[in-house]
Amino acid sequence: MILHAFLLSLPLAAPPQESTRTLDRPGEHHKHLTIDTVDRWLLDGVEGEVLRVDVRSSAFDPVLQLVRLDDAGRIQQVLIPEVDDPGSTSHMLMRLSAAGPLAILVHGPGERGGGNYRLYVERLRSLPLPDGEEFLVGRLDEKGYAHVRFMARAGDAIVPRGPGVVEVLDPKGYSLPNWRGCFTAQRDGEHYMRVRDKARAPFRVGLSPVPRREITIGQGVDATVSSEGLDEWTLRTVQGGMQIVEIEGAGLETRFLLHGERPTIGLDDGPTHRWGPTHRWLPTHSKGATRRTAYVARVAVGQRIQVRSSSERPTPYRITFRDPSAPLPIGAATEAALPVGGSAYWTFDAEPGEVLSVDVTSSAFDPSVRLYDSLGTLIAEADDAGGTLASRHSWLVRNRGRIYLEVLSYGNGGGGAYTAELTRIDVPRIAVGDRARATLAEGSVAYWHVDVGEQERVLVLADAEGVLPQLTLYDADGVERASASGSERDGGVLLNLRRPGAGRYTLVLSSGGGGGEVTLRTIDPDE
């Protein structure tokens, strides 16, 4: 009883105060929201009218609601529950099914917060796009607008036909991004084409059908896109596999749409090298009427590619979807030809601790090489920048798995016959307590495999003559365990590894400046 009496004595949370204002006209309105207050904007709704509302503020996180009122001004029905979009803006849209008094409510989260805000309201009339009809014909209103509604599902390609379409609105009232006059639905529901021209001018608009077809890896298909039309292809990627898409045809524009991502990559956008949520896009070059994009997929997902034509006539083209790589054997020179302005891809498997070298030579062009791991991450890039017609790169393999080699022309303008050779470099072995010598040129590297037992500590000492030595030690899994750099030439550097664990390690000695002789000693300080 005492507790009950105490609870009854506590002050009850007061409902938020309301500030009421009549929405006497559409357009932009500015107001200050008092802290812990709900602003109520009153208007009389018209059956069939489309109400589009946007609120934004730099002072608080704005929330929108739309409610129907009874004759006494009380809330009779919630038409749109609280809308709290990310950031400093919120947006809502509804086509009214009945006339009557309405209120737009503006407040902060939890009906708290306040500050200045801007409310923008559009009251639109719309016309349905008739089922089975190719076009809707009509006249614009006194302001030179018409809004044509139609249904679309998330992911659908929307291609308006006819002049004057300036915008497509989604079911929340957001304007969809425009790519070459093509839109992609982000939500299921009723969409609106906004048509604009002179007041009372006649209009004629519709939607182009978008053929959807499938293409599998290793396939090439000849097709024709309709005049000012759009074709869409569905592709299935392979996890970890390299794929390339090529479109051959004049006057076409293309882009990818990936599952779970917004439209991201246009084949006309130029070289790229970055992660998307599902793909690693590789630098690839298009030339003439051929557009190409290469990538490695992080996961196996569905994706789409759109082919858009701005021509008034049907346009033929060819689409090819393939794995562009071929196996590159170790220890044998391989003859091949590079398309002018293109890339060639090779693949091989590697193990941690291997030291590999790639040599590409040509008498027809100045070659460059890029190396990628199985997920498309760039490992290394090498070219001679206009020097000899050869390119070489040697490296220590740190991760087990598939390696991709890209061969291209320096400057991306050449092509022709070339020779590619992959070599496994024999790495000398030394035991703890041994010594070795190496001659280093500036920028060169020497490697040793070091067999380590159960020592508590291993020291590696490099005495240099004319070289600024740098030492790095990797374990059998390619993980860096220790590193040290010299401070001057004709000096030394000491690397100290504690509790290394038994096994084979790889010691990398490089020159950070200068060239000359280096004497290397591995020491067990406990002996």
Side-chain angles (χ1 to χ4, degrees):
M1 291 295 293
I2 295 175
L3 177 61
H4 180 68
F6 172 74
L7 293 174
L8 289 177
S9 68
L10 292 177
L12 297 176
Q17 299 297 311
E18 288 195 349
S19 173
T20 301
R21 177 174 292 190
T22 300
L23 191 72
D24 53 359
R25 59 175 176 79
E28 189 170 296
H29 303 265
H30 294 267
K31 192 176 181 303
H32 180 84
L33 176 68
T34 303
I35 293 177
D36 300 344
T37 299
V38 175
D39 279 358
R40 176 183 285 207
W41 294 81
L42 304 178
L43 69 157
D44 288 322
V46 178
E47 183 178 354
E49 180 181 47
V50 177
L51 194 63
R52 184 180 184 224
V53 183
D54 174 271
V55 62
R56 59 190 62 213
S57 171
S58 59
F60 66 100
D61 181 14
V63 179
L64 279 174
Q65 285 180 273
L66 181 65
V67 298
R68 188 178 299 281
L69 305 177
D70 62 17
D71 294 338
R74 295 184 296 265
I75 295 178
Q76 183 184 59
Q77 181 185 7
V78 176
L79 298 178
I80 299 180
E82 289 189 357
V83 177
D84 185 4
D85 292 335
S88 59
T89 182
S90 288
H91 213 87
M92 66 183 182
L93 177 143
M94 172 170 276
R95 182 159 60 91
L96 303 176
S97 60
L102 305 173
I104 299 169
L105 305 183
V106 180
H107 55 84
E111 299 175 339
R112 297 298 181 97
N116 293 327
Y117 67 92
R118 189 217 70 167
L119 181 72
Y120 184 79
V121 178
E122 288 187 282
R123 304 184 69 168
L124 312 173
R125 280 298 200 178
S126 66
L127 298 168
L129 190 64
D131 291 337
E133 296 292 331
E134 191 173 3
F135 288 96
L136 172 68
V137 178
R139 286 190 176 274
L140 305 181
D141 63 18
E142 65 279 359
K143 295 183 179 180
Y145 285 98
H147 295 84
V148 180
R149 64 181 185 267
F150 60 96
M151 298 298 295
R153 297 182 63 84
D156 284 352
I158 301 168
V159 184
R161 299 178 66 185
V165 177
V166 295
E167 193 176 15
V168 175
L169 305 178
D170 78 357
K172 282 198 65 175
Y174 283 108
S175 180
L176 291 178
N178 182 346
W179 177 74
R180 315 297 196 258
C182 169
F183 305 83
T184 301
Q186 304 295 323
R187 300 176 176 86
D188 297 346
E190 199 166 74
H191 291 65
Y192 299 83
M193 285 186 286
R194 192 195 294 266
V195 186
R196 185 178 184 182
D197 204 337
K198 295 179 181 179
R200 303 298 183 183
F203 71 89
R204 182 174 180 267
V205 297
L207 291 175
S208 292
V210 179
R212 278 193 176 184
R213 284 167 281 186
E214 292 188 358
I215 184 170
T216 58
I217 194 163
Q219 188 179 16
V221 180
D222 293 310
T224 300
V225 60
S226 62
S227 61
E228 299 180 351
L230 181 97
D231 283 1
E232 192 169 275
W233 296 85
T234 300
L235 308 90
R236 173 63 62 176
T237 66
V238 178
Q239 181 178 0
M242 177 176 286
Q243 283 116 84
I244 192 168
V245 178
E246 295 177 323
I247 308 289
E248 301 173 71
L252 300 175
E253 295 171 299
T254 52
R255 70 167 176 175
F256 276 99
L257 292 91
L258 303 179
H259 177 72
E261 302 180 32
R262 292 185 179 274
T264 51
I265 300 298
L267 272 70
D268 311 294
D269 291 343
T272 60
H273 188 130
R274 63 182 186 273
W275 278 115
T278 59
H279 288 59
R280 179 76 171 192
W281 302 97
L282 306 181
T284 317
H285 301 275
S286 300
K287 191 174 182 66
T290 300
R291 288 151 301 283
R292 58 175 65 92
T293 285
Y295 59 89
V296 173
R298 300 178 69 183
V299 294
V301 297
Q303 67 179 32
R304 295 178 289 159
I305 187 169
Q306 293 178 337
V307 181
R308 180 79 163 113
S309 172
S310 57
S311 172
E312 296 181 355
R313 297 181 179 180
T315 304
Y317 66 96
R318 181 172 180 80
I319 179 171
T320 305
F321 180 40
R322 61 187 176 90
D323 179 349
S325 62
L328 183 64
I330 292 182
T334 301
E335 306 289 337
L338 179 72
V340 174
S343 295
Y345 296 92
W346 302 90
T347 184
F348 53 91
D349 293 323
E351 294 289 330
E354 289 184 317
V355 177
L356 299 178
S357 178
V358 168
D359 291 86
V360 179
T361 59
S362 173
S363 60
F365 65 95
D366 188 9
S368 296
V369 297
R370 297 188 184 115
L371 291 160
Y372 308 93
D373 67 14
S374 61
L375 291 178
T377 303
L378 184 67
I379 299 172
E381 187 170 11
D383 62 65
D384 289 330
T388 61
L389 298 185
S391 186
R392 168 179 291 177
H393 180 69
S394 301
W395 78 102
L396 171 68
V397 177
R398 296 183 57 188
N399 295 298
R400 177 178 291 103
R402 181 63 47 90
I403 301 292
Y404 292 103
L405 166 68
E406 180 186 10
V407 177
L408 64 157
S409 171
Y410 178 75
N412 304 308
Y418 69 94
T419 301
E421 185 171 4
L422 175 67
T423 305
R424 182 182 289 113
I425 297 175
D426 290 332
V427 178
R429 287 177 173 268
I430 59 174
V432 176
D434 289 348
R435 67 174 60 205
R437 293 181 64 85
T439 302
L440 293 181
E442 186 166 357
S444 66
V445 181
Y447 303 92
W448 290 271
H449 287 325
V450 183
D451 296 314
V452 176
E454 297 295 340
Q455 291 95 337
E456 286 292 311
R457 196 156 58 110
V458 173
L459 302 178
V460 181
L461 176 64
D463 292 320
E465 298 178 9
V467 180
L468 186 65
Q470 297 177 336
L471 286 173
T472 309
L473 194 68
Y474 299 92
D475 66 18
D477 294 321
V479 177
E480 181 180 321
R481 296 294 300 275
S483 63
S485 299
S487 58
E488 59 184 23
R489 300 181 187 182
D490 295 324
V493 61
L494 178 66
L495 186 150
N496 185 359
L497 183 64
R498 296 179 179 274
R499 297 183 180 85
R504 188 195 71 181
Y505 291 75
T506 302
L507 180 65
V508 180
L509 172 64
S510 60
S511 170
E517 296 291 326
V518 180
T519 301
L520 190 78
R521 290 186 291 166
T522 58
I523 304 167
D524 181 356
D526 296 327
E527 289 187 350

